[in-house]
Amino acid sequence: MGIGCSVRSSVPSTDFGEDSHETHRAPSSGASPQVGQRPRLRPHRISATSSSSVAVTLYDLGNGEDPFPPESQQSSHAEETPPIVRRLTLTTVEITSHIQTTEVTVAQPREQSSQSATSKQPGTQKTSQDASVQKPTSQPQSQDATVHQSQDSPAGVKQAAVTSPPEPRPPKLPPPLPDLRVFSENERKLLCGRGDADVTLRPKLIRVYVISCAEDSMQERAILREKVSPSLKNHCGMLGYQFELVDMYEGVSEWQVNDPEFLQAALREMDICMETSLGPQLLILFGQKYGKLMCPTSIPPETFDKLLAATDNSGDKETLCSYYRLDNNSAPPTYQLQPIRHKEGKVDSSDWLNVQDQLLRILKEGLDEESSLLKSALDKQLCHAFSHPKLQAGQVAWFTRRLLQLEAHLSDPQAQHFLDILPGGAVNTAAQQRLQSLVERTTSQLSEATCMANNIPWEGGGIDPGANPAHQEYLDCLQTRCQADLTAMVDRAVTEAQAEGQDHRPRFGKNLSLELQQQADFCRTTSPTFHGHDKLLNAIGSHLRAENTLPLVVHGADGCGKSALAAKIVELVPEWRTEQAVCVYRAVRLGPSHHSEEQLLWSLGEQLRLLYGPCTRKMQMEMGSLVQDFQYFLSRATPDRPLLLLLEGQLQGGEGGTSLSWLPTSLPPNVSMVLIVKTTDMETAPFLKSLPPDCFMEMSTFPPEECMTIADQHLKKNQRTLSPNQREAFQAAIEKCPLPLYASIAAQLSTVWRSDDGDVALPPDVVGSVNSMLDGLEVKHGAELVSAVARYITVARHGLNESALLELLQQNSEVLRLNKGTELHGLPQSIILRLLRDITPLLSARVQDSMVLRTWRSHSIADVVVRRYLGTKDAVRTAHVHLKEFYSKMVATEQDAGLYTHWCLLELPYHTFQTEPHRKAIADFFLNFDRLCRALVAGNAVQIVSDVNMAARANPDNGDLCLLSAVLQESAAALSYDGRQFCVHVVERLVDVMKSASKDRFPAMCNMFRSACGSAHRQFTTSKVFLKQVAAPPSSSSEKSRKRIAFEKVEGEKEGNDVEPGGETDCDVLTGLFAVKDDPDHVISVSMATGEIRLWDVNTQTSVQVIPGADQPRQVCCIDARHIVVLCNRQLQVYDLEAGKLETTLKGIMNATMPYFGIHDSDHVVALSRNRMYVNVINVTSGDVVSTFKAGEDRFLNSLLISSNGETVVCGDETQKPSPLLVWDLINRKLVHDLRIMGHEFNARLSAITNNGKYVASCCKELIDPDVCLVIVYDLKTGQLFKKLKPGTAVVSLALSEESMSAVLGCENGLVQVWDLMTGACRHVLDGHTHPVDTLQLAAEGRRCLTFDPSHHDVSIRVWDIVEGQCLAVLTPDQPISCCQLMADGERVVIGLQGRDDIITLELQSSTSSNQLA
């Protein structure tokens, strides 16, 4: 391991103290300093004490991997000298030689005058008093200067320090790899493609199942459906959630109400509600009717034998044996109820009701009165709910209703619908007892306090709100109470989910996070299904371990298990390569962003940028640029972080596919690539044709026994088996088509086989099995209904959810016409839900934008559906028209505001383009400012940019569209981060075009420019152009020319893929911006690179004063509007801004790591001493220390806070345990408070004080549980603890405002919390940043707050209204922001951009909320 050194001249110099090594250490090989972290250095230091012959002391700086551990692990003592390892005496020539061989950098002393060099003797000790140390007036020497001895000089003759000739500037080193330690362990797993990453892909769905007796609750359920449900949908939509009310008995006939098969479907829906709902689960309505008993769907064999023995009548025995047959295929075997069906498959309702009555009579006679097999639908649903393991009593609302005097009107024909009445006209007391028992059980399970009980008078005909005001009042009360209860449950559940989600919130983009979680979830669930290709898997592992430079292509038939193979490869990558290996996996058309090559490349680039960096690299959504970025990221792979790129899916081109022409045929070092494709794609993908034969491996025929294993697993899941003869037939079919996809579909078909079914047969292939399954669905549900659902799912771009499917079917007049009784009242919800459950084996489901979307499981299934239902252009267009009308209606009515409307805005343009002329669709959507603005705010900006690009390529002569495409390509990264920046980016990027003579060629874009300029949603305005300008597209170009130019550009980028694109710089010209005291129109900038201090007019954005020659100026504090104190290197200097000169250098050297200081009054500065044992008060005129505060002997301070009025100073004491906060009164020069809490330790470096010094807040941790983070607020007037805040996560920044009585906390998870100091409650959680923000700046009025991440992992700034909890403005410029300052009025933000030496003043629009768009 190498060493770092600093050489101390024999002439003592104030430039070299005991801690001078801290600024001259050399970076270690193999590791580069990371953004926001101290550089990883070698663990030794050399100091030398003469110029020609030097005594070298080798110090041990630590023996661990990281010589600079986190601050919490460092020594508490200030600037301790490390232990000496070895002393040497070497000449400077020997040192230079040793440096050349060991890569040690020698830091040289600054030039000294010859007089001082002769007047001081070697070994003279430096003074220990900070106040007496004077800074030399000479300027620092060039970093290239070296101390050396001429080889021609006699030995022992000292030579003067000579400046060596300037050497050629070394080539620019590539930026270091990103430090993945800034992410949590689970985030690193997601980024690196680990299948064991934790996934939080739970849909934001609130699904409430209604339990009631269908007959006596029709009015109540109508209120729920027509009034309560729309209100809850709107409320949940505004919270970003989807609400569904599931009423399976809505609109169903009497025979369905009493159909045991229908009841089983209802119970399945209840299970889904219980398992998926994030809030309320059940809504129970009790009337006075228990309901009709139902025949059990299955009877255990021992019970059935008892029934037969107890039945004397031979006719009854025959009936029982006819409708209950032993099914040994059931696991365990049971007697199954046989449904009655006509030849065409329709149920004869009258026959079924008669048979059911006969069966019930036989069962009652043979079974005990209390048998669990004989229950009503209401009873069975409640028993099922109460036995469910995920039932939460607090998520159930229930109501009872009693009709008074009902028993006195039993002769009324309507009474039987509200009360159990025997055929003779008497009340069925047995049923009433069962109902009472149910109510009592519900009361014990859920608590009677949560029940709403209602007593209303009987009215002829039942409940009639038109005739009886009491009935209307009851229904109104039910609506109000139900809405209130469900809303409270929703709010409580959402609050809990948000708090839980904060701990799992990924610190990278939302879309990338969703995609990576989808891939991880897919791999974890699919990898166990891998069977039968072990030899192929081992061959792939050998290829990857050999680190071949050629891609590997694995091909096979559709349905042969390619996806399972891909998931298994992801699982085994760490075993095959190293634990540090990265696997970037994409299943084309699986994720939300793979519907164009641009989107696929963007998704890959986003992940690779975080892995291989630099994280500040700006990506453009233009094909050539994306290819260049992609190749650059591949070239950044290292042996310590090798890369495997794994692509699997559809590759034949077109939407949803890709030609892969941008992939390299020869891989860079440390990069492997595996493509898993269909064999048929080999003939259509040009990239695959260009590869040599040894790049290909074929997935061989799947072993039939492995297919049987897959089938057995599917049967077991459905609690089914096969008889020996059936199993033999099944195996014979598998041998003819040994594909996993065929095995799973065939297994689903065989679940309906009974053990006594003789001749059974399976279709010969996947196509036949899919068609057979669709045939069965058409028989059961109707051909028109099945075909409509299939068409909608197929043409939907990303899939459909259940609510959308139901709404689409409600608008389909043909479906309504063929389902009798639905023309007026609409299609019952149960119809689509039952069909979806039956068609599930052919579908895949994924969570996207908080919704569960369903698409076809494989391309083979989709192809069958297309051929069967979408064989004509008219059929395709009709389906697109229906979807377009549906999305248009949703957007126009703003139904499900906030969530579903956003989804519709993204989908609507696509279907419009499929049904209308392009010119009209372009004008209506892409060139319509309001619609485009709303769509970008809705979410997936990358999807919209891709749509615009595709439309521009299809319409190359539309100049407006091509210009818009160019703007969106440049702004894709910013709009993907937050679409509310659209107005700012349109205005800033089109300035040159709007000033040019060619603007008349773009009338639509001129209108869009004017709209953006005058829009209330333009969050920032500025008079200086700071974004890259977009050039006007040429007036005319042929498609052939465009393709040729694009191809040549991509090919040229392929040839130079090892060259980083120009235009990027990591130089921060301006390193700090500071507001001027009592001057709202000026700011001060400092530049460590140029040593300049500048005064700027923020209105004209021009420099009005330049002060050169400062030594690394870093921090500025204003004494008044004219005089400032600047931390230059490690000294404090006073400058006169008006005269533009240095006035005073304050005596003393600041501590290297804690150079804290502030202003006491117009004559004094308060600063932490170099040894951190004192707080010095220094006169700004003389530079002398006039007063000193000391905590005590051997006590070290680690922070310094000074109130803006200069009256109070607060320091942290790190020596005493538990560490206290020390509060001094600067006016009276005395310690007033020693604040400490037993069992707690303050992190005084994370603390804040109000302007008037009344309150101080500091982060604090419990010693018994260090993971618990607290923020303690003290009232400094009394010294009493004022508030204890519990943010629930680590805090990285803190600000206080007495004006708004707020504490603003920047949290480790990227959120910003706003706490009310009066109540001690969290007022708002501000979500927007993708990385922790270390900078919080509050305006003087305390209402507006600027947040910023200086590490540039999040390159945007945001301005918030912390009282209302709204984001007022957000900006993501092209270059990273090097510094920023919120002006005191809160109306302007001044920023400095990386690589620019000027400022940009951004003026906020009026405080009208920019959230109106959202």
Side-chain angles (χ1 to χ4, degrees):
M1 189 172 285
I3 56 176
C5 71
S6 64
V7 178
R8 182 181 300 144
S9 168
S10 59
V11 180
S13 166
T14 55
D15 287 335
F16 289 89
E18 293 177 12
D19 56 352
S20 60
H21 65 278
E22 296 188 7
T23 57
H24 298 289
R25 290 171 175 163
S28 63
S29 61
S32 302
Q34 308 299 330
V35 175
Q37 293 194 344
R38 307 178 74 173
R40 185 182 291 271
L41 307 180
R42 306 182 191 279
H44 296 88
R45 182 185 93 214
I46 295 176
S47 72
T49 55
S50 74
S51 58
S52 60
S53 178
V54 295
V56 178
T57 304
L58 187 65
Y59 292 92
D60 184 3
L61 300 184
N63 55 6
E65 277 193 355
D66 189 353
F68 288 110
E71 296 291 348
S72 60
Q73 300 176 18
Q74 294 184 26
S75 170
S76 62
H77 296 290
E79 306 178 355
E80 283 189 359
T81 301
I84 296 174
V85 176
R86 187 178 179 188
R87 297 183 185 276
L88 307 172
T89 301
L90 299 172
T91 66
T92 54
V93 175
E94 291 171 324
I95 290 179
T96 304
S97 175
H98 186 62
I99 289 168
Q100 292 172 350
T101 59
T102 58
E103 301 180 355
V104 178
T105 302
V106 180
Q108 298 301 323
R110 306 190 188 279
E111 256 186 334
Q112 305 294 328
S113 64
S114 58
Q115 180 179 358
S116 63
T118 56
S119 62
K120 307 276 179 108
Q121 298 299 319
T124 303
Q125 300 296 319
K126 285 184 63 178
T127 176
S128 60
Q129 295 296 327
D130 290 338
S132 64
V133 178
Q134 298 292 329
K135 179 175 175 61
T137 57
S138 59
Q139 294 300 317
Q141 205 176 34
S142 169
Q143 292 181 353
D144 294 332
T146 58
V147 177
H148 67 280
Q149 178 181 359
S150 172
Q151 295 181 0
D152 297 330
S153 301
V157 178
K158 296 181 179 180
Q159 299 292 325
V162 180
T163 303
S164 62
E167 297 180 0
R169 186 175 181 181
K172 181 181 177 181
L173 296 176
L177 291 184
D179 185 0
L180 300 184
R181 292 176 299 177
V182 301
F183 299 108
S184 68
E185 181 182 359
N186 195 63
E187 290 167 345
R188 290 195 297 272
K189 286 183 178 181
L190 286 173
L191 279 176
C192 295
R194 298 293 181 264
D196 60 343
D198 292 334
V199 174
T200 56
L201 277 180
R202 191 174 182 183
K204 291 185 176 180
L205 175 64
I206 296 172
R207 208 164 187 264
V208 182
Y209 183 88
V210 179
I211 298 178
S212 68
C213 182
E215 285 186 82
D216 78 336
S217 59
M218 296 179 64
Q219 289 282 359
E220 287 86 351
R221 288 188 288 113
I223 289 294
L224 296 177
R225 183 173 61 254
E226 298 168 6
K227 300 292 183 65
V228 176
S229 180
S231 174
L232 266 294
K233 281 187 177 182
N234 182 71
H235 180 74
C236 292
M238 297 303 294
L239 296 174
Y241 283 72
Q242 186 180 0
F243 180 85
E244 292 181 8
L245 186 74
V246 179
D247 184 0
M248 290 293 289
Y249 289 90
E250 168 208 347
V252 299
S253 60
E254 182 183 357
W255 72 264
Q256 287 177 312
V257 170
N258 296 284
D259 182 8
E261 185 179 351
F262 186 89
L263 176 62
Q264 294 305 310
L267 296 180
R268 285 198 302 269
E269 292 304 319
M270 183 194 298
D271 289 338
I272 294 174
C273 291
M274 304 284 275
E275 293 165 3
T276 62
S277 181
L278 288 174
Q281 301 170 321
L282 300 175
L283 196 155
I284 305 173
L285 299 173
F286 280 117
Q288 291 160 270
K289 189 175 179 68
Y290 174 75
K292 187 176 181 180
L293 297 179
M294 301 186 67
C295 295
T297 56
S298 62
I299 301 176
E302 58 275 10
T303 304
F304 191 81
D305 292 341
K306 292 180 181 179
L307 268 173
L308 287 178
T311 304
D312 298 329
N313 189 299
S314 59
D316 290 347
K317 285 186 178 182
E318 183 180 354
T319 300
L320 197 61
C321 292
S322 298
Y323 293 104
Y324 280 97
R325 295 181 183 176
L326 179 64
D327 185 7
N328 288 312
N329 284 3
S330 178
T334 57
Y335 282 83
Q336 297 288 329
L337 179 64
Q338 308 298 303
I340 303 174
R341 297 186 179 275
H342 278 191
K343 292 181 180 180
E344 65 272 18
K346 297 295 183 181
V347 176
D348 188 315
S349 58
S350 59
D351 285 352
W352 166 242
L353 291 175
N354 293 332
V355 168
Q356 185 175 229
D357 289 341
Q358 187 177 359
L359 287 174
L360 282 172
R361 177 184 58 78
I362 298 172
L363 292 172
K364 286 180 182 178
E365 294 174 355
L367 294 175
D368 296 334
E369 185 70 22
E370 301 298 327
S371 173
S372 60
L373 293 177
L374 292 177
K375 292 182 178 180
S376 68
L378 173 65
D379 199 341
K380 290 190 176 185
Q381 289 180 88
L382 283 171
C383 291
H384 188 81
F386 292 146
S387 62
H388 200 284
K390 292 195 174 181
L391 174 69
Q392 300 179 52
Q395 302 292 5
V396 179
W398 66 296
F399 305 87
T400 64
R401 181 257 301 146
R402 183 174 182 81
L403 290 168
L404 303 177
Q405 294 92 38
L406 176 57
E407 291 81 356
H409 298 81
L410 297 182
S411 59
D412 191 318
Q414 296 297 321
Q416 62 178 339
H417 297 300
F418 297 90
L419 191 66
D420 297 291
I421 301 176
L422 295 172
V427 175
N428 188 335
T429 56
Q432 290 296 293
Q433 290 174 359
R434 288 192 177 212
L435 178 63
Q436 182 61 32
S437 177
L438 279 180
V439 173
E440 291 174 357
R441 183 178 179 185
T442 304
T443 302
S444 64
Q445 291 269 0
L446 304 179
S447 170
E448 191 174 5
T450 62
C451 173
M452 173 185 171
N454 299 273
N455 294 321
I456 59 175
W458 167 260
E459 183 72 30
I463 299 179
D464 188 352
N468 194 325
H471 290 186
Q472 183 63 56
E473 182 181 352
Y474 155 68
L475 293 177
D476 292 342
C477 183
L478 175 68
Q479 175 189 341
T480 302
R481 175 67 183 272
C482 191
Q483 278 183 204
D485 288 357
L486 292 179
T487 300
M489 293 179 189
V490 167
D491 292 342
R492 185 168 59 249
V494 169
T495 301
E496 293 174 357
Q498 289 174 345
E500 182 181 352
Q502 292 179 15
D503 298 332
H504 302 93
R505 184 178 181 272
R507 283 174 285 189
F508 36 83
K510 173 185 174 183
N511 291 333
L512 179 61
S513 168
L514 172 63
E515 181 146 32
L516 295 182
Q517 289 192 75
Q518 285 179 343
Q519 304 293 353
D521 182 63
F522 174 78
C523 291
R524 184 172 59 249
T525 56
T526 308
S527 178
T529 66
F530 175 79
H531 297 281
H533 289 296
D534 293 333
K535 290 183 179 180
L536 175 63
L537 191 65
N538 293 333
I540 295 172
S542 299
H543 175 89
L544 296 179
R545 281 190 289 263
E547 299 184 3
N548 288 277
T549 60
L550 292 174
L552 175 64
V553 181
V554 181
H555 61 94
D558 198 9
C560 68
K562 296 187 297 296
S563 297
L565 174 64
K568 196 67 177 180
I569 292 174
V570 172
E571 178 186 332
L572 295 175
V573 164
E575 179 182 329
W576 286 342
R577 300 295 296 271
T578 65
E579 283 295 332
Q580 289 73 36
V582 170
C583 178
V584 175
Y585 167 56
R586 290 295 183 274
V588 181
R589 291 195 74 178
L590 173 69
S593 63
H594 297 164
H595 289 262
S596 71
E597 286 185 287
E598 289 170 331
Q599 290 173 279
L600 175 59
L601 268 171
W602 179 275
S603 170
L604 292 171
E606 283 280 89
Q607 186 177 359
L608 291 171
R609 180 177 62 87
L610 294 175
L611 288 165
Y612 295 100
C615 61
T616 56
R617 185 183 181 93
K618 176 178 175 284
M619 293 172 56
Q620 301 177 29
M621 196 159 182
E622 185 271 327
M623 196 62 191
S625 177
L626 289 171
V627 170
Q628 192 176 6
D629 287 334
F630 175 73
Q631 294 169 345
Y632 170 70
F633 292 137
L634 293 188
S635 70
R636 299 264 295 158
T638 66
D640 293 333
R641 196 177 292 176
L643 170 65
L644 168 62
L645 182 65
L646 177 60
L647 299 179
E648 176 264 324
Q650 180 182 359
L651 306 175
Q652 74 269 22
E655 189 183 6
T658 171
S659 64
L660 299 184
S661 59
W662 37 271
L663 287 174
T665 54
S666 179
L667 300 172
N670 309 304
V671 176
S672 302
M673 185 165 65
V674 177
L675 306 178
I676 303 178
V677 302
K678 289 167 53 176
T679 301
T680 53
D681 291 337
M682 305 283 291
E683 304 172 358
T684 58
F687 171 77
L688 300 180
K689 292 181 179 180
S690 66
L691 297 176
D694 55 351
C695 291
F696 296 90
M697 293 183 184
E698 183 176 6
M699 295 187 72
S700 58
T701 304
F702 206 73
E705 59 272 14
E706 296 290 346
C707 285
M708 284 304 302
T709 301
I710 294 174
D712 288 338
Q713 291 175 349
H714 188 88
L715 289 168
K716 183 178 180 181
K717 182 179 178 182
N718 287 272
Q719 297 182 332
R720 302 293 295 171
T721 60
L722 297 177
S723 68
N725 292 336
Q726 293 169 350
R727 188 172 188 84
E728 184 178 344
F730 195 100
Q731 287 176 331
I734 287 291
E735 290 176 357
K736 295 178 181 178
C737 186
L739 295 174
L741 178 61
Y742 177 79
S744 61
I745 298 177
Q748 178 63 32
L749 291 173
S750 67
T751 56
V752 298
W753 292 352
R754 308 293 177 180
S755 57
D756 56 354
D757 289 343
D759 296 331
V760 292
L762 288 171
D765 53 22
V766 172
V767 174
S769 63
V770 173
N771 276 316
S772 177
M773 193 165 182
L774 292 173
D775 289 340
L777 292 173
E778 290 182 0
V779 170
K780 183 176 180 180
H781 299 282
E784 185 60 34
L785 182 64
V786 174
S787 63
V789 170
R791 287 194 296 266
Y792 293 148
I793 293 176
T794 304
V795 302
R797 194 174 196 180
H798 300 90
L800 290 171
N801 67 346
E802 293 177 4
S803 294
L805 274 171
L806 182 59
E807 291 288 340
L808 283 164
L809 294 172
Q810 297 284 14
Q811 297 176 13
N812 191 318
S813 57
E814 187 65 18
V815 171
L816 295 178
R817 184 181 65 81
L818 295 175
N819 285 268
K820 295 180 179 180
T822 64
E823 298 90 338
L824 297 177
H825 304 289
L827 199 67
Q829 187 181 22
S830 58
I831 291 180
I832 179 60
L833 293 180
R834 294 182 68 187
L835 173 56
L836 280 177
R837 302 302 166 247
D838 290 342
I839 205 174
T840 293
L842 300 179
L843 299 176
S844 68
R846 73 169 185 272
V847 178
Q848 182 174 330
D849 289 342
S850 307
M851 295 182 292
V852 180
L853 302 180
R854 287 174 169 79
T855 56
W856 298 114
R857 177 179 165 188
S858 77
H859 306 305
S860 298
I861 296 174
D863 291 342
V864 173
V865 172
V866 169
R867 288 193 296 268
R868 182 172 178 131
Y869 299 116
L870 294 165
T872 65
K873 290 184 178 180
D874 286 342
V876 175
R877 187 180 184 280
T878 300
H880 280 295
V881 168
H882 288 175
L883 283 167
K884 186 200 78 170
E885 293 174 349
F886 164 68
Y887 289 132
S888 298
K889 176 184 175 182
M890 297 295 289
V891 171
T893 59
E894 294 190 349
Q895 186 175 340
D896 285 341
L899 175 66
Y900 212 69
T901 304
H902 289 178
W903 176 251
C904 297
L905 284 167
L906 296 176
E907 295 297 301
L908 184 55
Y910 169 73
H911 296 288
T912 304
F913 267 83
Q914 308 302 319
T915 57
E916 295 183 0
H918 283 192
R919 182 172 296 277
K920 183 178 186 304
I922 291 170
D924 287 347
F925 291 97
F926 295 148
L927 297 179
N928 183 310
F929 172 77
D930 291 331
R931 280 193 170 182
L932 183 59
C933 204
R934 286 184 66 192
L936 287 167
V937 172
N940 196 343
V942 174
Q943 176 71 68
I944 297 170
V945 178
S946 177
D947 288 345
V948 173
N949 287 347
M950 286 192 291
R953 286 192 291 269
N955 301 269
D957 296 328
N958 190 320
D960 285 300
L961 186 63
C962 293
L963 182 57
L964 174 63
S965 175
V967 171
L968 295 181
Q969 286 174 4
E970 287 288 345
S971 302
L975 298 177
S976 177
Y977 177 82
D978 195 316
R980 287 173 290 187
Q981 302 181 76
F982 175 63
C983 293
V984 172
H985 280 254
V986 166
V987 172
E988 291 298 317
R989 296 202 189 276
L990 291 178
V991 171
D992 287 355
V993 174
M994 293 299 116
K995 290 180 179 179
S996 68
S998 62
K999 73 174 184 178
D1000 294 337
R1001 293 195 290 112
F1002 313 105
M1005 288 304 294
C1006 288
N1007 290 333
M1008 184 173 292
F1009 180 83
R1010 287 190 291 268
S1011 298
C1013 287
S1015 173
H1017 306 300
R1018 183 185 174 190
Q1019 300 171 334
F1020 282 121
T1021 60
T1022 180
S1023 60
K1024 181 179 290 188
V1025 176
F1026 63 95
L1027 295 180
K1028 180 180 177 181
Q1029 294 297 287
V1030 171
S1035 57
S1036 64
S1037 62
S1038 67
E1039 184 70 14
K1040 181 178 179 181
S1041 175
R1042 287 176 59 255
K1043 289 185 176 180
R1044 177 180 58 80
I1045 294 172
F1047 176 80
E1048 291 174 353
K1049 181 176 181 181
V1050 172
E1051 289 299 310
E1053 290 162 348
K1054 283 186 177 182
E1055 294 174 3
N1057 62 2
D1058 58 338
V1059 179
E1060 182 180 357
E1064 294 187 359
T1065 174
D1066 56 0
C1067 176
D1068 289 344
V1069 179
L1070 301 183
T1071 50
L1073 284 170
F1074 307 90
V1076 179
K1077 185 177 183 180
D1078 301 327
D1079 184 349
D1081 298 320
H1082 291 86
V1083 294
I1084 303 162
S1085 72
V1086 296
S1087 173
M1088 295 181 66
T1090 64
E1092 288 184 344
I1093 303 170
R1094 287 178 177 257
L1095 182 67
W1096 300 84
D1097 186 321
V1098 299
N1099 297 314
T1100 63
Q1101 302 171 78
T1102 57
S1103 174
V1104 296
Q1105 184 63 272
V1106 181
I1107 306 175
D1111 183 10
Q1112 300 182 31
R1114 287 188 283 167
Q1115 187 69 28
V1116 174
C1117 285
C1118 292
I1119 299 174
D1120 50 40
R1122 177 171 177 172
H1123 297 90
I1124 60 174
V1125 181
V1126 185
L1127 175 64
C1128 296
N1129 200 346
R1130 293 175 59 188
Q1131 286 194 309
L1132 297 179
Q1133 296 181 334
V1134 181
Y1135 287 87
D1136 186 329
L1137 290 177
E1138 186 173 322
K1141 65 178 182 179
L1142 171 66
E1143 284 197 340
T1144 312
T1145 298
L1146 305 186
K1147 296 178 182 179
I1149 300 295
M1150 301 293 288
N1151 185 275
T1153 58
M1154 303 182 192
Y1156 303 142
F1157 70 101
I1159 305 300
H1160 169 35
D1161 54 29
S1162 59
D1163 297 321
H1164 298 92
V1165 171
V1166 180
L1168 187 65
S1169 68
R1170 179 181 177 185
N1171 61 14
R1172 298 198 287 120
M1173 297 178 68
Y1174 308 93
V1175 175
N1176 294 326
V1177 181
I1178 309 172
N1179 186 281
V1180 298
T1181 303
S1182 65
D1184 295 329
V1185 176
V1186 297
S1187 181
T1188 297
F1189 299 97
K1190 185 175 181 181
E1193 295 299 328
D1194 298 326
R1195 292 175 66 177
F1196 295 93
L1197 307 176
N1198 60 3
S1199 66
L1200 181 73
L1201 286 175
I1202 302 170
S1203 59
S1204 295
N1205 61 12
E1207 297 179 359
T1208 307
V1209 60
V1210 181
C1211 297
D1213 181 355
E1214 70 178 28
T1215 307
Q1216 293 201 353
K1217 301 298 179 184
S1219 56
L1221 292 177
L1222 305 177
V1223 184
W1224 278 284
D1225 182 345
L1226 285 177
I1227 303 298
N1228 300 309
R1229 302 287 200 273
K1230 66 177 183 179
L1231 179 70
V1232 291
H1233 300 299
D1234 184 331
L1235 307 174
R1236 63 185 75 202
I1237 303 176
M1238 296 305 298
H1240 294 70
E1241 187 170 278
F1242 287 108
N1243 181 2
R1245 293 195 187 188
L1246 279 173
S1247 53
I1249 191 170
T1250 54
N1251 293 332
N1252 61 1
K1254 183 176 181 181
Y1255 299 105
V1256 67
S1258 177
C1259 289
C1260 179
K1261 66 179 180 181
E1262 294 182 356
L1263 296 180
I1264 59 173
D1265 188 0
D1267 292 334
V1268 176
C1269 179
L1270 305 172
V1271 175
I1272 305 298
V1273 183
Y1274 280 100
D1275 185 334
L1276 296 183
K1277 300 300 181 183
T1278 63
Q1280 299 298 313
L1281 191 151
F1282 182 66
K1283 287 291 183 296
K1284 179 186 288 189
L1285 314 180
K1286 299 179 180 180
T1289 184
V1291 176
V1292 299
S1293 54
L1294 178 62
L1296 280 183
S1297 171
E1298 189 184 6
E1299 290 75 14
S1300 61
M1301 287 302 289
S1302 303
V1304 185
L1305 281 55
C1307 300
E1308 191 178 40
N1309 55 17
L1311 298 174
V1312 177
Q1313 297 182 4
V1314 182
W1315 291 75
D1316 191 321
L1317 289 181
M1318 293 301 295
T1319 64
C1322 183
R1323 185 188 296 158
H1324 303 292
V1325 177
L1326 309 178
D1327 188 358
H1329 284 286
T1330 58
H1331 201 267
V1333 288
D1334 291 339
T1335 298
L1336 301 172
Q1337 296 179 7
L1338 286 168
E1341 37 80 28
R1343 187 182 183 98
R1344 293 188 175 182
C1345 178
L1346 180 142
T1347 53
F1348 171 55
D1349 171 26
S1351 72
H1352 297 149
H1353 287 89
D1354 185 330
V1355 295
S1356 305
I1357 59 170
R1358 289 180 179 270
V1359 179
W1360 308 86
D1361 183 329
I1362 61 174
V1363 175
E1364 297 295 330
Q1366 295 178 346
C1367 180
L1368 299 178
V1370 55
L1371 180 68
T1372 310
D1374 293 337
Q1375 302 108 314
I1377 298 172
S1378 59
C1379 50
C1380 56
Q1381 177 63 48
L1382 177 66
M1383 302 304 290
D1385 57 11
E1387 298 289 341
R1388 292 168 295 174
V1389 177
V1390 182
I1391 63 172
L1393 297 179
Q1394 207 172 75
R1396 292 182 57 151
D1397 60 358
D1398 60 343
I1399 66 167
I1400 296 104
T1401 301
L1402 306 170
E1403 186 170 351
L1404 273 77
Q1405 288 281 70
S1406 63
S1407 58
T1408 55
S1409 171
S1410 62
N1411 284 336
Q1412 290 173 359
L1413 273 176

